[in-house]
Amino acid sequence: MLRGKAFKFGDNISTDHICPGRYFHLRSNLPELAKHTLEDVEPGFCTMVNPGDFVVAGLNFGLGSSREHAAVVIKMAGVAAVLAKSAARIFYRNAVNVGLPILICDTDRINDGDELEIDLANSLVKNLTSGTELPVGKFPDVMLSILEEGGLIPYIKKHGSF
Amino acid sequence: MGKTLAEKILTDNSGGDAHAGDIIIARVGLAFVQDGTGPLALRQLKESGLEQIANPKRAILFLDHAAPSPSRELANDHITLRQFAEKSGVQICDVGEGVCHQLVAESYANPGEVILGADSHSVTAGALGAFATGMGSTDVAIAMALGKTWLRVPESFRIEVSGRFTNGVYAKDLILHLIGKLGADGATYKSLEFSGEAVLNMTMSERFTIANMAVEAGAKTGLFPTDETTQTYLDSRGRGASFRALSPDPDADYERVITIDASSLEPTISKPHSVDNIALVRELAGTKIAQVFIGTCTNGRLDDLAVAATILNGKRRHPKTRLLIAPASSDVLKEAISAGYIQTLIESGAVLLPPGCGPCVGVHQGALGDGEACLSTANRNFKGRMGNPEAFIYLGSPATAAASAIVGEITDPRELM
Ligand code: SF4
């Protein structure tokens, strides 16, 4: 069970917003790179977010480049899960591969600062602030297994192949 | 029920019958990473314990995004990639050889295979009839090691293009128009399959421009049928034997059919800060431009430089507008030198950058100043893309770029042709 605060973002948050190209030189220094997570949409995001909080976004979250660093830095910033109305496909896959849960649901029903509780195993999001429950889109089985192992690398280590 | 191109190619590469919506395990014919995504891929490979690369001849590392390196950190990343290539036997394309997608098109992609690149514009090779798609570092690393990946077979949109482009209108205008119509997420997870008279008449370079930007509507891949143009291109690259005739079945099931009349299109532009924020060039006439950039995997090929050189021939760039040119590959550069385009462009005041990504992703060379506007032939204009969140990026064709460089303002190229 995950519990934390919602940080609300709009539609079309790109990987350039999440992990700007100008920090390309920090890609082999992930802790430094993670200090800039989402700074082009929400300056200082990394100093405000607490471990276990959630990124809550609108449509097409993570569009743009294939840089997996975007999913990695969100996780490293302490974010426990991303919730969005929809997500770009590469980002969606990357998030699962690095073990960052990404849930598709009606995020219009979540406000900035709301307290949320997420039951991953049962695909359930509860908005504790408003007292509502949000249905969540299902993962394909293969993604669920990868997520359950904590990402693609632990999955491959265990199973050897797909 | 017949099959779409995506279903056909994925059926061939999965040993089963692939239908939209199925999850399949597909054989990967080619896998590549670039210098921004490669170091993480190598770390993940090491972490996974998979030492062997399934097919080192079909695994490539490209040094193109930060090439030549602008910093010590990136130079060290380059060393890591070179050392891995030496040790594992995978291919490496080093600094100055060009942008990964251009080199994949020129030398590696085969019709009918599955291609995974750790770069979103890997869709470019769809122009050659390859199921090419972008994934992250971990997915591509595992595909390099295992020679396979898991995929969801996408539903397809058929994009039927009739008519011919009028003077001053190009493939770039068509794809910008289509993205404006679909929206930045209008084709998420889908395969875009291009057909129609205008498509048959397109050169390979025009097809690359269009396939390249399929991802800007969220698509998983952008596919073209193969034909004589494909065969001639592969022949010209010494790879004619890899040709395969590929087309969708006439009764294939398409989720959506979109028709566009190429003759009705006008020079089109994408405004800051999203690619689907489309306008006609003439509607923005007069917008001041501090920098024009011609290059990238979208529009850095020989025909793009030819169009720009024709418009700039005997003219000068506006004194307040910088003009940067980055050929997409060293072969493009050599051919552009032989054809005299480079001479013309430099005489018009252009700065020539080495083959590679150039200023496209804001890593080095040509970063924008606060409040500056750039007209670029690239494929993305997100806030901060060219190194500065306080700058503005417009996307257009090489013709629009060249005309705007002369006037110093966004200019409809038809005015100068
Ligand atoms: S030219 Fe631009 S879009 Fe193309 S691969 Fe390089 S950075 Fe990416």
Side-chain angles (χ1 to χ4, degrees), chain B residues 352-393:
Chain B
L352 182 65
L353 303 175
C357 297
C360 181
V361 66
V363 179
H364 64 160
Q365 297 177 336
L368 299 171
D370 292 352
E372 284 192 327
C374 177
L375 204 163
S376 163
T377 65
N379 44 34
R380 251 177 213 155
N381 59 354
F382 304 143
K383 200 175 171 200
R385 175 79 183 173
M386 292 180 78
N388 185 348
E390 305 300 327
F392 301 87
I393 306 168

Side-chain angles (χ1 to χ4, degrees), chain A residues 16 22 24-25 27-28 30 60 64-66 68-69 87 89-90 93-94 97 143 152-153 156-157 161-162, chain B residues 36 44 47 73 77 118-119 133-139 148-150 184-185 189 220 363 380 382 385:
Chain A
D16 281 293
R22 64 179 177 280
F24 211 87
H25 60 288
R27 287 190 183 182
S28 287
L30 295 171
N60 207 17
S65 117
S66 69
E68 194 169 305
H69 310 75
R89 56 162 281 279
I90 305 180
R93 215 173 145 127
N94 283 346
N97 283 344
M143 283 192 137
L152 184 57
I153 296 300
I156 291 289
K157 271 179 150 168
S161 184
F162 295 112
Chain B
Q44 297 291 61
E47 176 69 30
E73 292 89 340
D77 281 347
D119 190 286
T133 191
M135 287 191 189
S137 299
T138 305
D139 267 319
K148 59 185 175 182
T149 192
W150 72 269
D185 61 350
Y189 298 103
K220 187 164 184 163
V363 179
R380 251 177 213 155
F382 304 143
R385 175 79 183 173

Side-chain angles (χ1 to χ4, degrees), chain B residues 146-157:
Chain B
L146 300 178
K148 59 185 175 182
T149 192
W150 72 269
L151 284 171
R152 182 181 173 281
V153 182
E155 289 81 17
S156 298
F157 289 0

